[in-house]
Amino acid sequence: MIIRLIIFLVINFGGLAIGGFFTGAGVPSEWYTELAKAPWTPPGWVFGAAWTTIMIMFSIYLMKLYDLIDRNSFLRLFSLQVVLNVGWNPVFFYYHKTIFGLLIISLLGLLIYFYLIKYMKVLKWWSIGILPYVVWITIAVSLNAYVVIYN
C-alpha cells in the first residue's frame, strides 16, 4: 500500500506542478491582480497550503479506494480528475477564459462530490480523506464564479 500511496502522491503533485507551469505569472500577474475578486478570496499562501493538504489526503483516499472498486472505473475517474485539475490552470490563467475555467472547475467539483457520495459507504471513515478537496473545490468554484460575474 505504501508504494501505491507514493504513486498517487507523485501523480497528484506532478499534476499540480504541470498546472503550475501553465499558470505562468499566475496570481501576481497584471491580468489577475486587476480582476475583481471575491471578498472571501484567501491570501496567496493559502492556496499552496490547501493544495498540499488536499493532495496528501486525496492520495490516501485513492490508495484505499483502489482495491475496493473496479479498476477500469477507478482509472477512468482518476484520469478525468487529473485532466480537469491540470486543465483548469491554462484555461483560466494562460488563456484568460474565465467562463470555460468555471465550466472545468464545476465539472471537477461534481466529480469530487461524486467520489464522496458514491464511495462513502465503501470507504466509511476513510472518506475523511476527500473532505479537504470537497471544501476547497466548493470555495474554488465560488471564486471562479465571482470572477466570471464581476469581470
Side-chain angles (χ1 to χ4, degrees):
M1 284 184 96
I2 295 298
I3 292 172
R4 192 172 305 134
L5 175 61
I6 292 168
I7 290 168
F8 287 126
L9 286 167
V10 167
I11 293 169
N12 285 327
F13 280 101
L16 288 181
I18 293 167
F21 173 78
F22 283 108
T23 299
V27 175
S29 72
E30 183 178 335
W31 172 79
Y32 185 75
T33 58
E34 291 182 2
L35 288 175
K37 290 178 276 312
W40 59 91
T41 302
W45 66 267
V46 172
F47 289 85
W51 278 112
T52 299
T53 302
I54 289 163
M55 287 306 153
I56 291 169
M57 297 295 290
F58 188 53
S59 294
I60 294 167
Y61 175 89
L62 292 169
M63 174 193 70
K64 288 301 286 184
L65 185 62
Y66 185 80
D67 285 330
L68 299 175
I69 67 170
D70 171 66
R71 295 272 160 78
N72 288 329
S73 297
F74 179 91
L75 291 174
R76 280 193 301 273
L77 289 172
F78 180 59
S79 297
L80 180 59
Q81 182 276 147
V82 170
V83 167
L84 291 171
N85 199 343
V86 171
W88 178 84
N89 288 346
V91 170
F92 186 87
F93 280 109
Y94 184 79
Y95 293 109
H96 305 162
K97 303 296 183 189
T98 59
I99 196 151
F100 292 117
L102 180 58
L103 174 64
I104 291 168
I105 205 161
S106 295
L107 290 172
L108 179 58
L110 289 173
L111 179 58
I112 298 308
Y113 283 117
F114 175 81
Y115 267 112
L116 176 65
I117 293 164
K118 174 79 175 169
Y119 301 116
M120 190 180 297
K121 287 184 181 176
V122 174
L123 288 173
K124 298 179 179 39
W125 70 271
W126 286 97
S127 294
I128 291 168
I130 202 166
L131 291 180
Y133 209 161
V134 168
V135 170
W136 189 254
I137 202 70
T138 303
I139 294 167
V141 169
S142 75
L143 296 173
N144 197 149
Y146 190 96
V147 166
V148 168
I149 293 166
Y150 293 99
N151 290 279

